[in-house]
Amino acid sequence: MNASADRPPTWTFLTHHARVLVEIARNPEARVRDLAGRIGITERGVQKILADLHQAGYLSRERVGRRTHYSLDLDKHFRYPTEAGLPVRLLIDLFIDRDVRDSA
């Protein structure tokens, strides 16, 4: 039996910030609770990431009744210097079917 197969991975290719962006692109009206469940982090962690993304201009939020609707700025560029010339749209396009995203 392979003991490493029983352990959760210690690293991942995508950060939690990237995962939140992808999940919001999939469902702009997702609740914090839903995002946390899909990503596998706490609701407080999602709230902090949403605040980071909002402050950096990657997303905006609008209250619609009791829900929050998120809008992404997909033309905003990545923050890390080696990808700084590329828009986050490239990341979203890897994970989101274009027809689904454009109809949202």
Side-chain angles (χ1 to χ4, degrees):
M1 175 156 238
N2 186 352
S4 65
D6 298 333
R7 282 184 273 145
T10 57
W11 64 273
T12 180
F13 284 104
L14 296 177
T15 66
H16 290 148
H17 284 67
R19 292 179 189 280
V20 168
L21 277 175
V22 169
E23 290 304 322
I24 289 173
R26 287 184 176 140
N27 181 3
E29 296 175 355
R31 297 176 306 165
V32 169
R33 176 178 296 173
D34 300 331
L35 293 168
R38 295 225 0 124
I39 296 166
I41 61 175
T42 65
E43 290 180 37
R44 181 66 187 123
V46 170
Q47 289 171 338
K48 179 167 182 349
I49 290 169
L50 289 171
D52 289 346
L53 294 172
H54 181 260
Q55 183 177 12
Y58 289 93
L59 70 82
S60 58
R61 12 180 198 212
E62 177 186 356
R63 293 292 286 183
V64 179
R66 295 179 56 178
R67 304 291 297 261
T68 301
H69 178 85
Y70 300 99
S71 298
L72 299 177
D73 181 353
L74 298 178
D75 294 322
K76 189 129 173 96
H77 289 194
F78 286 100
R79 294 168 41 114
Y80 198 74
T82 56
E83 295 89 34
L86 302 172
V88 296
R89 175 182 311 280
L90 296 174
L91 173 72
I92 300 305
D93 285 347
L94 285 173
F95 293 95
I96 306 297
D97 180 33
R98 185 175 300 264
D99 294 332
V100 170
R101 189 191 65 220
D102 291 342
S103 67

